[in-house]
Amino acid sequence: MEYRKEIDGLRAIAVVPVVLYHAEISLFGGGFVGVDVFFVISGYLITSQILLHKHANNFSILEFYERRARRILPALFLVCVACIPFAWLLMMPNQLEEFSRSLISVVFFSSNVFFWKNSSYFDVSAEEKPLLHTWSLSIEEQFYILFPIFLAVLWRFEKKVIVATISVSILISLGLTEWGWRSAPNGNFYLLPTRAWELLAGALIAFYMFGQDQKGHNEVLPMLGILLIAFAVFVFDSGTPFPSLYALIPVAGTSLILIFANNQTLLGKILSNRALVGIGLISYSLYLWHQPLLVFARLGISETLANWHVAVILCLAIALSYLSWRFVEKPLRKTRRVNRKGVFALSATAGMLLIGSGAYLWLGGPVQDLESRLGILPRDQIREMVWHRHDKLAKSFSDDQSTKKLLIIGDSYSADFVNMAAENSAFQGYEIVAVYVPSSCQTYLGDKDVSQFRDGLAGERRCQRAYDRDQIVSLSAQTDVVVLISRWKAWAAERISETVASVSSPGNRVFVLGRKHITFPGRRQSIEKKIAEQVTPATVVQVNMDMKQRLENEGVFIDIQQFFCGENYPSCSLFTDDKSMIPLDKDGHMSLKGARYLGGLLFTQTELKEFM
């Protein structure tokens, strides 16, 4: 297969936006589409190689897998090994546990499935997952395993039958992804069935171009292709439904370049320049290295990196990428240096070592030892401490008209409110009912369609199963006091008046507690150095300001963060007056001492003091 420099240049166009997107450079809000560009390129190159060997009657699936192992595994395993000591030194226990499990999933080519399923109460954010980016490698590896078998089954038929089958498969996968972003967005993003069409698009291009020269000298279409990719990179953002029909834009752009760009076209010459080709050659290693470097810098330096931090990290990523390309990728691609048996033996050995390391970190005791050393409770004890009172509360009111009634509505922060009230003997003599509304649903009780904010139709159905809006409205009509407390998001804050109207009645009083943010430090240094303050994120400040403005005339809003942290709350103490830690975990739930301390402020300095 003839080497095409412009494809290495296109790889550079793909990897740079991904890296800058992960570095949180705002201009590259759609930089994630670089992965889709890679998928099309991979589908094209892999299919071209298969076709070349098929037509020469010397195709071997074993040899194909060997070539893939040589290409993918050495650098991948090197980066995984390099991550282990930094994870050990810098990560909190929950972060270290997730890292160890993700390490094992990488070896089994299933990290995409792991990150799809690993969304829970104790989940950590994307900025704290050094191996998150390996989901796309798992997609490719799964495709590499299945696609040669798929072609082998179809090879007995004419070319037009194979092409038609691939085309139909593309349409099915594309239709699935258009359904998926509405109904199952996490699976839609991470899983092969909704990504396969991008790789198959590259395969279709390979069939179209195989055995003939590129389609003439066309200057316009390659330029249109690069403009489509640029449009996606600079216009898309995290709010763009993706993948979906929107993904057709970068995929179409990549396809136009693969078909029409060559060393005679202007774009082909631009993509073939030494700088872009050089970045393209190290693009795989650069993709591997950048995410762990950014994650460990955030864990070791600051959660918000300065521009000069980012610049240094990216330079280091390029340097490491060159070294791993030069001394790991290139040598192990050479058959004469390591034979097939050696490649599989080395891959199996390295994989077993990584599995063993992940299992040891996960199950062998380091996580538990770290929890003990830092004074962090195990997760089951955290849950018991947060929820034990909330879980014992009734789910409906009795018919006794002589008792006052309190209805508490919200996500897990409502369990914190129950503890704050109990630790301060508030609402004595009240009959209390607590209704749990998952944070992913948000405590929205209006009657408008908000499925677009709840991960589509599937998310809306999950929320309908999780709680009954009509039942909550009915309960609120029976109460003397309603308290709404949640980890409010912007969309729910914008609609808080609708929620308040739904639970208000002539016989009750409604209180809305704003979003609090006093969380267990996400970095080990914060605990080991006993850093006593935490800056309130701007998003939390904005949500509380928005709710306060919308409820200003209702007299029902309490800015809980303001009372905890001061009038402007630029920073909040993490410790009580007797130096006990207020937060219990990184999700902002409170220890019982923290609940007593902060509840004391809430029930003596706000409108809730009358219920003491």
Side-chain angles (χ1 to χ4, degrees):
M1 181 179 173
E2 182 182 352
Y3 171 61
R4 295 176 58 184
K5 280 188 176 182
E6 67 273 12
I7 291 182
D8 275 327
L10 185 57
R11 283 193 175 110
I13 297 298
V15 75
V16 169
V18 174
V19 172
L20 296 179
Y21 172 76
H22 288 157
E24 299 182 345
I25 307 299
S26 58
L27 181 63
F28 294 83
F32 52 83
V33 303
V35 173
D36 306 88
V37 175
F38 273 123
F39 283 160
V40 181
I41 295 172
S42 294
Y44 166 72
L45 292 175
I46 290 304
T47 307
S48 296
Q49 291 176 2
I50 293 174
L51 290 176
L52 187 67
H53 288 286
K54 280 284 190 182
H55 281 277
N57 292 319
N58 62 359
F59 177 75
S60 164
I61 285 186
L62 191 62
E63 181 182 352
F64 174 83
Y65 291 155
E66 175 196 348
R67 290 169 66 89
R68 292 301 89 211
R70 288 179 184 276
R71 176 73 176 93
I72 293 173
L73 298 184
L76 174 61
F77 286 172
L78 171 66
V79 171
C80 287
V81 169
C83 286
I84 293 173
F86 292 97
W88 177 280
L89 290 171
L90 297 175
M91 284 185 153
M92 297 286 285
N94 63 318
Q95 297 164 338
L96 183 60
E97 179 180 339
E98 178 171 290
F99 167 78
S100 64
R101 294 164 61 200
S102 68
L103 189 65
I104 296 170
S105 72
V106 168
V107 179
F108 287 108
F109 310 148
S110 61
S111 61
N112 61 324
V113 177
F114 172 80
F115 289 117
W116 163 55
K117 294 182 70 68
N118 189 43
S119 178
S120 66
Y121 172 83
F122 292 97
D123 196 19
V124 294
S125 66
E127 291 79 11
E128 298 168 0
K129 299 178 181 181
L131 299 179
L132 178 64
H133 60 323
T134 63
W135 72 267
S136 63
L137 302 181
S138 292
I139 290 280
E140 291 196 13
E141 289 157 351
Q142 291 159 14
F143 181 80
Y144 297 154
I145 290 170
L146 297 174
F147 188 64
I149 300 171
F150 173 78
L151 278 187
V153 172
L154 291 176
W155 198 251
R156 70 190 70 179
F157 301 105
E158 295 181 5
K159 178 182 176 180
K160 63 182 181 181
V161 175
I162 301 175
V163 169
T165 304
I166 293 175
S167 300
V168 170
S169 300
I170 289 173
L171 292 175
I172 292 172
S173 178
L174 180 59
L176 188 61
T177 197
E178 184 62 16
W179 169 85
W181 76 261
R182 294 179 174 88
S183 302
N186 284 345
N188 182 53
F189 187 89
Y190 283 115
L191 300 182
L192 176 62
T194 53
R195 293 285 189 168
W197 70 274
E198 298 173 323
L199 290 142
L200 290 173
L204 201 60
I205 295 169
F207 271 94
Y208 174 67
M209 297 182 64
F210 184 75
Q212 53 186 308
D213 296 332
Q214 289 171 282
K215 303 300 173 184
H217 185 85
N218 192 308
E219 295 286 359
V220 175
L221 293 179
M223 285 297 183
L224 175 60
I226 202 70
L227 288 175
L228 288 173
I229 294 173
F231 177 85
V233 168
F234 296 119
V235 175
F236 289 3
D237 57 29
S238 57
T240 305
F242 207 88
S244 65
L245 290 178
Y246 283 99
L248 283 169
I249 295 175
V251 169
T254 307
S255 301
L256 289 174
I257 294 170
L258 288 174
I259 296 171
F260 295 106
N262 55 50
N263 56 15
Q264 301 300 314
T265 61
L266 175 60
L267 183 64
K269 292 175 181 178
I270 293 172
L271 293 177
S272 298
N273 78 79
R274 293 183 63 182
L276 286 177
V277 169
I279 295 173
L281 289 172
I282 66 169
S283 60
Y284 176 57
S285 284
L286 181 56
Y287 183 76
L288 289 175
W289 280 110
H290 82 280
Q291 173 75 359
L293 290 174
L294 287 168
V295 167
F296 291 127
R298 291 183 180 113
L299 292 175
I301 300 172
S302 172
E303 292 180 8
T304 303
L305 297 173
N307 290 336
W308 74 268
H309 288 144
V310 173
V312 170
I313 292 163
L314 296 184
C315 289
L316 179 59
I318 292 172
L320 289 173
S321 301
Y322 172 77
L323 292 174
S324 61
W325 170 76
R326 176 68 178 80
F327 297 106
V328 178
E329 285 190 65
K330 283 186 69 176
L332 288 173
R333 288 189 205 175
K334 305 295 184 181
T335 306
R336 65 178 181 273
R337 297 197 179 186
V338 182
N339 61 25
R340 179 181 299 169
K341 184 177 179 181
V343 167
F344 290 135
L346 286 172
S347 299
T349 302
M352 291 302 294
L353 288 173
L354 288 175
I355 292 170
S357 299
Y360 173 70
L361 289 174
W362 179 17
L363 303 172
V367 171
Q368 292 79 7
D369 292 342
L370 185 58
E371 287 175 337
S372 176
R373 181 156 58 87
L374 296 177
I376 301 172
L377 294 175
R379 291 180 300 169
D380 56 345
Q381 292 186 33
I382 291 175
R383 195 202 181 284
E384 172 65 20
M385 186 175 293
V386 172
W387 289 96
H388 74 286
R389 288 187 173 112
H390 186 282
D391 287 347
K392 294 176 182 177
L393 295 175
K395 305 304 178 187
S396 61
F397 291 112
S398 70
D399 295 329
D400 187 351
Q401 301 298 317
S402 64
T403 60
K404 292 185 177 181
K405 294 176 172 57
L406 165 66
L407 177 62
I408 301 171
I409 309 166
D411 56 22
S412 59
Y413 282 8
S414 67
D416 281 332
F417 179 79
V418 171
N419 287 333
M420 283 191 282
E423 291 292 320
N424 287 276
S425 301
F427 295 104
Q428 290 284 332
Y430 274 75
E431 185 180 348
I432 303 175
V433 166
V435 178
Y436 173 68
V437 178
S439 182
S440 59
C441 300
Q442 287 289 287
T443 307
Y444 172 75
L445 299 172
D447 56 3
K448 303 294 191 302
D449 179 12
V450 292
S451 59
Q452 60 180 313
F453 304 111
R454 289 174 166 171
D455 293 336
L457 297 177
E460 182 66 21
R461 286 193 288 268
R462 284 195 299 271
C463 292
Q464 290 172 358
R465 291 193 296 268
Y467 73 96
D468 186 334
R469 174 193 175 272
D470 293 338
Q471 180 191 30
I472 294 174
V473 172
S474 175
L475 286 171
S476 66
Q478 305 172 42
T479 63
D480 297 281
V481 180
V482 177
V483 173
L484 295 158
I485 180 168
S486 184
R487 192 180 309 180
W488 303 103
K489 295 181 181 178
W491 72 264
E494 292 170 1
R495 294 160 177 79
I496 190 63
S497 297
E498 297 174 33
T499 294
V500 170
S502 295
V503 297
S504 297
S505 66
N508 69 19
R509 295 182 61 188
V510 178
F511 294 93
V512 177
L513 274 60
R515 179 166 175 175
K516 65 182 174 69
H517 182 88
I518 302 180
T519 73
F520 205 79
R523 299 189 297 128
R524 290 255 288 275
Q525 295 91 327
S526 299
I527 299 177
E528 292 167 342
K529 296 179 182 178
K530 299 194 182 302
I531 296 174
E533 291 187 341
Q534 185 176 78
V535 175
T536 303
T539 52
V540 174
V541 176
Q542 185 59 49
V543 161
N544 284 338
M545 288 179 59
D546 192 17
M547 296 176 76
K548 182 177 182 179
Q549 290 173 359
R550 292 175 187 277
L551 298 175
E552 191 169 12
N553 298 325
E554 313 253 356
V556 300
F557 180 71
I558 298 174
D559 189 341
I560 192 169
Q561 190 78 357
Q562 178 180 324
F563 282 96
F564 292 170
C565 306
E567 184 65 29
N568 297 315
Y569 50 84
S571 60
C572 305
S573 174
L574 297 177
F575 298 93
T576 65
D577 292 337
D578 65 358
K579 304 303 179 184
S580 297
M581 183 72 80
I582 293 174
L584 192 60
D585 60 15
K586 195 173 182 299
D587 288 304
H589 302 102
M590 291 185 290
S591 66
L592 294 184
K593 287 186 177 180
R596 186 179 309 125
Y597 175 76
L598 296 179
L601 297 175
L602 188 66
F603 287 103
T604 58
Q605 299 182 24
T606 74
E607 293 88 338
L608 293 174
K609 61 186 177 183
E610 65 184 272
F611 302 105
M612 283 285 284

